[in-house]
Amino acid sequence: MRTARELVPKARPEARLLAIRLASLLGMRSRPDDEQEASAVLVAAQRTVRPGSVEHAAIDFMTAALLLPHYLRHRREEDLTAAVERLERAMPVLDGEAARDRANPQHTAVMATMAGMARFHLALAHHSRQSGGPADEEAEQRIVALLAEAERLSPQTTSMAGMLHQVRALQRGLVQGESADPMAMAEQVSIGDDVPFPVATGLLGSTAGAIRAGGRLGSSGDLQALDAQIATLEAELAAPDRYEPDPATQLVTLAQCYQLRARTKGLSEDPSAGADRLRAQELATEALAAGGGSQDQARLVLGVCKLDSLHPERPDPQVLDEAVRLLRRGAGGTSLSPAMRNAARVPLAEALLARGMLVGDGDEVDEALALLTAHRDRLPPASLQHAVASSRVAAALHVRAEGTGSTEDLLHAADASRRATAAIGELSLVWAYDTALYWAEWSWRHGRTGDAAEAYLLTLRTLNQMARAQLSRAYGELVLRRRTRGLVGRAAHALTRRRRLPEAAVALESGRAVLLSAALERDLVGLTGAEHAPVRERYRRAVDRLTELEDRAQREASTQEGLPSDEAATEEELTGEEQA
């Protein structure tokens, strides 16, 4: 195409046609240098045509189609503004050509398709502008109207319009809190095979799969979905015929999956967490070297990996400083969307909290608390994200209370944890567990046995719910090791002090019953022989013991009587069993 352009005089009409076709090819290949060349070619070609003509409108549309993905990668507001202006200017001209009677019906069909595509791109631009921010009803109505008109003018846009509708519904469920079960909604998001941009479709499918896997992990602790998504992304990355115009995006998506799995395993002291973290760092470093618009996200992944690699009792100050540096630079990056920039405040705050505690710097603790508060306040109050953010703010308040020793700060932190635990409820088992556990441990350290008993009981119950949510015994056991060292002993002691020991025993026995029941259900055929009679007998005894404890707890709650005389012996027995 370049050779053909050199052979045709610039004054000939064919020169403009060649320029447009070259720009189209460059846009499809979509490398950074290609985008710049395509834009320059289109600008030069548009200078030679009359404003208001069909050719001028077509070039406006093509230029906007180049500017939109460039904005999504680099988040330059001027790119989005220019794309919207060009589309608004082109639409009336394209509409007029699509409505005009002509002898050649193919020309009319092409104009109608272009008019429909212009509306789809304009809807996408409006969606991108308000993505991650507060809902704007007027903009929402405009998007819906544009998509409906696009489908009427061009049936080819139906798949893309449907995909954008699903993404918008998922965003409202996850960010705006308009869905009771946003993860169930995420499961229904599908990328159609007939979308006319297969490269972008594959990338969207991979990213949507990663979002779903991360969501299932956050709601129920399901690691198997994350395993499957990592395997899918690794296979795509290793495909010999793979072509990706922006390779850094997929590298960062895979790095985020590895980092999330490494952190989850690390909380359960799984030895394979280190290998996952190293793989995440390797991928993020590769994404930085590849360039493109995902470098800020890569820095965030690297910063979080360095933060997670710190030994909790002997943190390395140099590694911590490097984590803060990377997270500051990543969180302040211009390529992040408003929603991503808001989310980036969280790992930066975690690093500042860690460094503030290490060196005794109250200003860094206050800065971290301000970041977490700003993050929470930008989220809709009814959403899951707001409840999770409230949990993080409560944890930061505990850190500040540790440093100041102020009674007022201690009471404020305890109240924040109580409200955060109640708010998160059943929205996320993982966050409900972590929030309740942090509250319980803090209350235990400060001798607030009433709060500790309440929080530990909630912690144990949520832990068993997470174990039941796993699809394999291995992951059930992994969940039951999530920061649980010494948990039952402290819970039993706190509940004993509050005369609620049977409830702790029920929670402990329930955890054991969950695992044994899962094993029997999975291997029922293999456990029917005479040689497995001891296993079946142990299961029967566990069920009987659990029933006995539940009955005892119900009687205790109804009568409000004191514990039996062997209370201390029972507590000692439970603590010894837990340590064993």
Side-chain angles (χ1 to χ4, degrees):
M1 197 62 66
R2 289 188 178 116
T3 303
R5 286 188 70 205
E6 293 173 359
L7 296 173
V8 175
K10 293 183 179 180
R12 300 278 299 176
E14 291 87 348
R16 289 196 299 273
L17 179 61
L18 289 171
I20 289 173
R21 289 184 174 177
L22 175 60
S24 178
L25 287 173
L26 292 167
M28 291 177 69
R29 194 165 64 176
S30 193
R31 294 170 181 166
D33 292 343
D34 293 337
E35 291 179 352
Q36 294 177 7
E37 183 182 356
S39 296
V41 167
L42 289 174
V43 168
Q46 197 171 39
R47 291 198 192 103
T48 64
V49 297
R50 178 177 56 83
S53 66
V54 177
E55 276 189 288
H56 196 278
I59 294 174
D60 270 339
F61 166 69
M62 289 189 66
T63 304
L66 286 173
L67 287 170
L68 275 177
H70 195 263
Y71 165 76
L72 293 174
R73 278 198 288 272
H74 303 285
R75 297 292 168 178
R76 294 196 315 176
E77 189 65 29
E78 56 267 31
D79 290 336
L80 183 61
T81 301
V84 171
E85 289 176 353
R86 287 178 177 275
L87 289 169
E88 294 280 14
R89 187 170 65 192
M91 278 201 312
V93 180
L94 298 175
D95 289 349
E97 284 297 306
R100 186 176 302 172
D101 288 333
R102 287 182 175 271
N104 184 358
Q106 290 184 343
H107 177 83
T108 303
V110 168
M111 290 297 105
T113 297
M114 194 173 293
M117 291 293 292
R119 282 169 169 78
F120 170 78
H121 280 79
L122 189 56
L124 181 60
H126 285 302
H127 168 74
S128 302
R129 174 164 281 164
Q130 69 169 12
S131 179
D136 182 338
E137 283 303 318
E138 185 176 347
E140 287 288 314
Q141 293 174 6
R142 180 83 196 281
I143 292 171
V144 172
L146 284 168
L147 291 176
E149 190 68 8
E151 291 185 77
R152 184 188 68 80
L153 286 167
S154 174
Q156 294 180 8
T157 64
T158 299
S159 293
M160 292 182 292
M163 182 181 67
L164 186 55
H165 278 307
Q166 291 181 74
V167 170
R168 291 176 58 250
L170 178 59
Q171 179 186 337
R172 290 197 299 272
L174 289 173
V175 179
Q176 305 296 342
E178 295 182 10
S179 171
D181 190 358
M183 286 303 109
M185 181 185 297
E187 290 296 322
Q188 299 173 7
V189 175
S190 61
I191 311 297
D193 294 334
D194 54 344
V195 175
F197 306 110
V199 173
T201 301
L203 180 59
L204 283 169
S206 299
T207 305
I211 292 171
R212 288 195 295 269
R216 287 198 293 270
L217 175 65
S219 61
S220 65
D222 178 13
L223 270 170
Q224 282 196 323
L226 198 57
D227 289 348
Q229 183 60 27
I230 286 173
T232 298
L233 289 171
E234 286 281 18
E236 291 176 358
L237 204 61
D241 57 345
R242 173 180 177 268
Y243 168 71
E244 177 52 62
D246 185 18
T249 299
Q250 195 164 22
L251 290 168
V252 168
T253 300
L254 182 55
Q256 289 170 329
C257 290
Y258 270 109
Q259 180 271 316
L260 186 58
R261 191 170 72 174
R263 172 169 282 199
T264 304
K265 288 180 175 180
L267 293 173
S268 299
E269 299 181 2
D270 188 292
S272 65
D276 280 350
R277 188 164 53 249
L278 288 174
R279 178 61 175 153
Q281 290 178 265
E282 174 190 318
L283 290 162
T285 303
E286 190 177 346
L288 280 175
S294 300
Q295 292 195 333
D296 292 320
Q297 291 170 267
R299 291 187 184 96
L300 291 173
V301 173
L302 284 172
V304 173
C305 286
K306 289 186 177 294
L307 186 61
D308 289 347
S309 69
L310 293 169
H311 193 286
E313 297 177 0
R314 300 185 305 277
D316 186 333
Q318 291 183 341
V319 175
L320 190 51
D321 289 345
E322 178 66 8
V324 171
R325 186 189 68 80
L326 284 166
L327 291 169
R328 276 198 190 281
R329 188 173 177 188
T334 57
S335 67
L336 300 180
S337 68
M340 291 166 63
R341 193 174 296 115
N342 189 37
R345 291 187 172 105
V346 174
L348 175 57
E350 290 178 347
L352 290 170
L353 280 175
R355 193 164 71 175
M357 292 172 65
L358 180 65
V359 303
D361 188 341
D363 291 340
E364 287 205 330
V365 173
D366 288 341
E367 182 186 355
L369 182 57
L371 285 168
L372 292 173
T373 303
H375 167 69
R376 179 197 63 191
D377 293 345
R378 287 184 60 84
L379 300 168
S383 65
L384 169 62
Q385 281 84 349
H386 190 279
V388 171
S390 297
S391 171
R392 290 188 168 111
V393 170
L397 287 170
H398 285 301
V399 174
R400 188 176 69 175
E402 292 276 4
T404 64
S406 163
T407 301
E408 183 179 354
D409 287 343
L410 294 173
L411 293 174
H412 182 35
D415 182 61
S417 282
R418 181 179 290 104
R419 286 185 283 106
T421 304
I424 206 162
E426 295 298 325
L427 292 175
S428 168
L429 292 175
V430 173
W431 274 100
Y433 171 78
D434 287 345
T435 305
L437 179 60
Y438 198 97
W439 177 25
E441 290 178 338
W442 182 88
S443 301
W444 171 268
R445 288 196 304 272
H446 290 84
R448 300 178 61 85
T449 55
D451 286 349
E454 179 183 352
Y456 273 128
L457 187 58
L458 181 58
T459 299
L460 290 169
R461 287 174 177 168
T462 308
L463 182 65
N464 291 329
Q465 287 180 279
M466 280 202 298
R468 289 188 179 95
Q470 305 311 305
L471 300 179
S472 73
R473 182 176 182 180
Y475 279 143
E477 291 174 343
L478 184 69
V479 163
L480 287 177
R481 294 196 303 270
R482 186 183 177 97
R483 299 166 59 194
T484 55
R485 181 173 295 180
L487 169 63
V488 178
R490 293 191 301 272
H493 182 79
L495 287 160
T496 297
R497 294 285 299 275
R498 306 303 295 181
R499 298 180 177 273
R500 299 172 68 178
L501 177 61
E503 293 176 89
V506 167
L508 172 61
E509 295 289 345
S510 296
R512 295 171 177 170
V514 165
L515 290 179
L516 188 53
S517 176
L520 287 171
E521 289 175 3
R522 188 188 65 224
D523 300 323
L524 187 61
V525 176
L527 292 173
T528 55
E531 68 275 15
H532 295 117
V535 177
R536 295 195 301 274
E537 178 61 23
R538 285 175 58 195
Y539 176 65
R540 186 190 61 77
R541 287 200 305 268
V543 172
D544 291 344
R545 171 67 172 154
L546 180 59
T547 302
E548 176 190 343
L549 288 167
E550 288 175 337
D551 292 342
R552 181 179 170 188
Q554 289 175 359
R555 289 196 304 271
E556 182 113 352
S558 62
T559 60
Q560 295 295 316
E561 294 177 354
L563 287 172
S565 58
D566 63 343
E567 167 187 290
T570 309
E571 176 194 347
E572 183 179 350
E573 176 189 351
L574 280 173
T575 306
E577 288 184 5
E578 186 274 332
Q579 290 173 347

